[in-house]
């Protein structure tokens, strides 16, 4: 049972435009959400996170929005750059989890066209 | 500074053989995680080590899988009697004390069982 879902396997946008990557979750006990970026042949790298007590977190060109009632979060990248082309994973951590293990979605491949 | 390193980067083995995968976490990181990513899937949690506490082995898929962490640093994931379904990229991550959600990943070991 997939608790974290990324329903779009791929997304293509033009350089300079906004990229919006979406993620849905089913477990209302998740209390922390993260986005990771992964280039080929490399491990994922942490990008941005948000606590369940917030609805928005911004870091430079990257903004994560959380809609708890809809169990939905999104990552906005603006303006998009060719170097942003990568696989983006959404991840969540269960509330009160003793191990902080992360539950990942299946990823969305973003291609930013020059 | 040095990131998380893993070895080997690629491993091809015959069905039924045992394999050992190694992870060197970032110095000073007390938490260490193993995940795996099968083709077309998200990252799947396997096992977590935190300091001297008993590891969380709840993600290990079968008793053919085991892991240890010696001296609170290097970790080895062992898969006995490998099966074709064990083919995946095995990723190790570590995190700082108090920042367990922000995990730093190694490049992974691609395991292929023929």
């Amino acid at each position: 049972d997939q608790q974290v879902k990324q329903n779009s396997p791929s997304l293509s946008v033009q350089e300079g435009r906004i990229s919006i990557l979406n993620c849905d979750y089913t477990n209302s006990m998740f209390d922390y959400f993260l986005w990771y970026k992964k280039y080929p042949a490399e491990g994922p790298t942490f990008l941005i996170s948000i606590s369940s007590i917030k609805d928005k977190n911004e870091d430079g060109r990257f903004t994560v929005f959380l809609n708890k009632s809809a169990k939905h979060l999104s990552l906005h990248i603006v303006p998009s750059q060719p170097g942003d082309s990568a696989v983006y994973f959404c991840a969540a951590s269960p509330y009160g989890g003793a191990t902080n293990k992360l539950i990942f979605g299946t990823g969305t491949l973003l291609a930013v066209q020059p | 500074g040095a990131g998380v390193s893993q070895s080997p980067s690629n491993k091809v083995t015959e069905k039924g053989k045992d394999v050992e995968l190694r992870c060197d976490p970032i110095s000073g990181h007390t938490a260490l995680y193993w995940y795996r990513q099968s083709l077309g899937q998200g990252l799947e949690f396997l096992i977590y080590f935190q300091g001297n506490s008993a590891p969380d082995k709840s993600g290990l898929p079968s008793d053919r899988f085991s892991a240890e962490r010696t001296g609170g640093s290097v970790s080895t994931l062992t898969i006995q009697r490998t099966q074709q379904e064990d083919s995946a990229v095995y990723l190790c991550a570590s995190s700082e004390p108090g920042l367990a959600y922000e995990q730093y990943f190694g490049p992974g070991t691609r395991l292929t069982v023929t």
Side-chain angles (χ1 to χ4, degrees):
Chain A
D1 132 34
Q2 193 73 24
Q3 297 187 66
V4 177
K5 301 176 185 178
Q6 293 177 257
N7 293 318
S8 298
S10 63
L11 174 68
S12 181
V13 300
Q14 288 294 123
E15 181 178 4
R17 305 293 288 269
I18 185 170
S19 296
I20 300 177
L21 297 114
N22 293 304
C23 178
D24 297 293
Y25 60 95
T26 58
N27 189 340
S28 59
M29 297 302 286
F30 289 146
D31 74 333
Y32 207 78
F33 302 89
L34 307 92
W35 285 93
Y36 279 80
K37 179 167 96 171
K38 184 181 184 302
Y39 293 117
E42 295 183 11
T45 55
F46 169 73
L47 191 57
I48 192 169
S49 63
I50 187 166
S51 164
S52 61
I53 63 173
K54 296 185 175 182
D55 55 17
K56 177 182 174 181
N57 188 27
E58 189 172 353
D59 183 2
R61 297 185 297 112
F62 302 90
T63 303
V64 56
F65 295 92
L66 176 62
N67 182 335
K68 288 189 290 295
S69 61
K71 295 192 179 66
H72 177 84
L73 68 157
S74 60
L75 174 68
H76 292 210
I77 307 173
V78 56
S80 301
Q81 299 173 354
D84 296 330
S85 298
V87 177
Y88 289 78
F89 290 98
C90 170
S93 183
Y95 175 76
T99 64
N100 298 316
K101 65 185 181 187
L102 299 178
I103 299 172
F104 285 84
T106 52
T108 296
L109 174 62
L110 173 65
V112 179
Q113 310 296 335
Chain B
V4 177
S5 61
Q6 293 185 245
S7 61
S9 55
N10 280 284
K11 176 72 176 178
V12 180
T13 190
E14 292 180 351
K15 177 181 173 180
K17 302 279 190 182
D18 297 352
V19 295
E20 285 190 352
L21 313 179
R22 177 187 167 103
C23 172
D24 281 278
I26 294 173
S27 177
H29 282 195
T30 57
L32 186 147
Y33 304 78
W34 283 97
Y35 293 86
R36 74 174 175 181
Q37 185 181 16
S38 303
L39 191 63
Q41 303 296 312
L43 281 71
E44 173 191 6
F45 167 79
L46 296 177
I47 189 169
Y48 160 81
F49 295 91
Q50 172 60 61
N52 295 321
S53 302
D56 176 354
K57 305 179 182 180
S58 60
L60 294 179
S62 79
D63 58 8
R64 296 186 294 105
F65 288 72
S66 63
E68 62 178 22
R69 188 179 185 191
T70 53
S73 181
V74 171
S75 177
T76 302
L77 176 70
T78 301
I79 309 173
Q80 295 179 309
R81 304 181 303 282
T82 51
Q83 304 294 311
Q84 288 186 329
E85 61 262 29
D86 299 334
S87 296
V89 176
Y90 289 81
L91 291 153
C92 175
S94 68
S95 63
E96 294 182 57
L99 290 174
Y101 295 118
E102 297 176 13
Q103 298 174 16
Y104 292 80
F105 284 81
T109 294
R110 180 175 295 278
L111 175 66
T112 303
V113 182
T114 61

